[in-house]
C-alpha cells in the first residue's frame, strides 16, 4: 500500500505534460516508447514525479549540449 506522500508524488499524463510544457499526446508517446518510467494503477497511467524530473534533467542536458555544439560551429564558421 502506498503512503500519502508517495501518492502525492504520482502524476497523470496531463500533469506531466503541463510540467514539461508539451502536449498530452506527446507525453503518451514518450511513455509508450519507454522514455519516461510509469506504471498502471486501476487502468490509469501513473508517473512518479522523480521519474519525470529525471527525464526533464536529461532533456535539459541534451538541449544545453546541442546549444554548445551550435555555438562552437558558429565560432568555427566565423558567424558568431
Amino acid at each position: 500500500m502506498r503512503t500519502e506522500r508517495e501518492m502525492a508524488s504520482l502524476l497523470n499524463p496531463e500533469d506531466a505534460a503541463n510540467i514539461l510544457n508539451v502536449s498530452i499526446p506527446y507525453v503518451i508517446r514518450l511513455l509508450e516508447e519507454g522514455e519516461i518510467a510509469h506504471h498502471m494503477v486501476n487502468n490509469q497511467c501513473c508517473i512518479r514525479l522523480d521519474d519525470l524530473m529525471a527525464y526533464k534533467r536529461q532533456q535539459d542536458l541534451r538541449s544545453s549540449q546541442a546549444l554548445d555544439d551550435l555555438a562552437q560551429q558558429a565560432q568555427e564558421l566565423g558567424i558568431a
Side-chain angles (χ1 to χ4, degrees):
M1 183 160 243
R2 295 194 183 277
T3 65
E4 188 174 322
R5 184 175 183 190
E6 288 174 323
M7 291 300 288
S9 68
L10 293 178
L11 306 169
N12 62 34
E14 182 178 2
D15 295 332
N18 288 334
I19 291 170
L20 296 176
N21 198 30
V22 297
S23 69
I24 296 169
Y26 183 71
V27 168
I28 292 170
R29 190 175 86 202
L30 292 172
L31 297 172
E32 289 172 346
E33 292 174 353
E35 294 292 322
I36 301 173
H38 68 287
H39 61 278
M40 302 300 285
V41 175
N42 296 331
N43 207 26
Q44 296 208 357
C45 181
C46 294
I47 305 158
R48 288 184 42 226
L49 180 58
D50 291 344
D51 291 333
L52 183 67
M53 297 314 291
Y55 170 80
K56 186 173 183 337
R57 281 189 298 275
Q58 180 184 33
Q59 290 305 110
D60 289 346
L61 180 60
R62 284 183 184 167
S63 294
S64 178
Q65 289 172 340
L67 186 57
D68 289 346
D69 290 345
L70 286 173
Q72 182 179 357
Q73 289 175 9
Q75 288 271 339
E76 291 169 0
L77 294 172
I79 56 176

